[in-house]
Amino acid sequence: LELRTRGWRAGFARMGLALFWDTGHAAPGWDALVLHNDFGIGGRLLLPQLQRAVIRFDWAFADRGPTAGLPGRFSAGLSQ
């Protein structure tokens, strides 16, 4: 689930923010399934003159496991 702000102009670029929640797990069967959740905040950047793909920067926090809580994890990438 992702909630985004409307994009706003920053010079020739378009910028926006996103709040997100991800859930999932890879398990060998339904009985072993334990959902893990991440939630966080992200930034979105579009440079329409150079490309059509969105550049994203996300900072996520897990709710359980060895990486739960702060400092979280940072990721960046192209596309959605």
Side-chain angles (χ1 to χ4, degrees), residues 60-79:
F61 307 93
D63 71 336
R64 66 175 75 181
T67 61
L70 290 173
R73 289 171 286 185
F74 179 78
S75 67
L78 292 174
S79 195

Side-chain angles (χ1 to χ4, degrees), residues 1-72:
L1 176 65
E2 184 171 294
L3 301 173
R4 292 186 184 184
T5 64
R6 288 182 170 246
W8 64 86
R9 286 185 174 192
F12 64 88
R14 304 289 186 269
M15 296 175 53
L17 295 174
L19 293 175
F20 60 87
W21 170 57
D22 296 325
T23 189
H25 183 220
W30 286 105
D31 56 342
L33 187 65
V34 178
L35 293 179
H36 297 270
N37 299 291
D38 285 349
F39 56 92
I41 188 167
R44 304 293 182 258
L45 176 66
L46 176 65
L47 306 170
Q49 294 81 357
L50 302 177
Q51 63 184 12
R52 293 181 2 191
V54 174
I55 302 168
R56 60 176 178 76
F57 304 95
D58 292 334
W59 188 21
F61 307 93
D63 71 336
R64 66 175 75 181
T67 61
L70 290 173

